[in-house]
Amino acid sequence: MSPRPARPRRRARAAPAEERPARALGGGLAAALLLGGCGGIRAPDLFLVQRTGSVPGASLTLLVNEEGGVRCNGGRTLKLDDAQLVEARSIQEDLRDPASRHISLPPGPRPVFSYRVREESGSVSFSDDSPRQPRVFRRLALFVLRTAQRVCRLPL
């Protein structure tokens, strides 16, 4: 048996000039609909908090995004009110320096909650009774507690 001769390749026919803008617009519109309709565009995250502790209900994973969306323990996205969002953004801004230095404080003698926080510039870890913690750590702990109770509807 002899090998088949190779078929000559066809060159793709270019679209007439009057069809090109319409095709480009249609393709761009389809891409925008796909991205917008399917959740392709996501707001950047402000921070992710993982809280653990020695009391029932202490375990919590809280993800807060730039647009005020918050996810509690991987659930559906809930919404922060304006004041809560302003506080979250302020906390994230104040966390930049300690997070970039990857501050990890040891717990004090009787911790109830421990926190691990990741944000764009790095991460921090501390307990509620860690000595010499920056003020932003206490603000974060209060924000997490209030968000868990008011937004997530969790007991702690």
Side-chain angles (χ1 to χ4, degrees):
M1 263 178 118
S2 64
R4 284 186 142 163
R7 285 187 174 176
R9 291 188 182 192
R10 288 187 181 188
R11 292 184 67 185
R13 179 182 75 85
E18 62 273 1
E19 289 180 23
R20 289 182 198 144
R23 283 187 184 177
L25 179 62
L29 184 58
L33 288 173
L34 281 174
L35 287 175
C38 297
I41 298 174
R42 253 188 52 193
D45 297 334
L46 289 176
F47 51 81
L48 172 70
V49 179
Q50 293 175 305
R51 183 186 72 184
T52 57
S54 59
V55 295
S59 292
L60 172 66
T61 299
L62 191 74
L63 178 64
V64 181
N65 75 31
E66 176 67 33
E67 290 181 347
V70 62
R71 293 186 66 190
C72 312
N73 294 328
R76 66 184 179 89
T77 302
L78 304 170
K79 199 74 173 151
L80 297 173
D81 66 30
D82 291 343
Q84 292 166 321
L85 178 56
V86 167
E87 178 66 2
R89 287 177 176 164
S90 175
I91 288 169
Q92 189 264 341
E93 187 174 304
D94 292 346
L95 276 173
R96 282 190 185 137
D97 180 56
S100 69
R101 293 186 289 133
H102 302 282
I103 300 280
S104 180
L105 300 177
R110 290 190 201 111
V112 176
F113 296 113
S114 294
Y115 301 86
R116 293 180 90 46
V117 185
R118 277 193 349 228
E119 64 94 45
E120 183 179 41
S121 61
S123 62
V124 298
S125 62
F126 63 98
S127 292
D128 53 2
D129 69 342
S130 293
R132 296 181 304 280
Q133 57 182 285
R135 183 174 179 270
V136 67
F137 288 9
R138 295 186 195 285
R139 287 177 47 221
L140 175 77
L142 181 60
F143 175 84
V144 169
L145 177 65
R146 286 180 174 165
T147 302
Q149 292 175 337
R150 296 175 183 173
V151 180
C152 305
R153 304 284 186 220
L154 299 172
L156 287 177

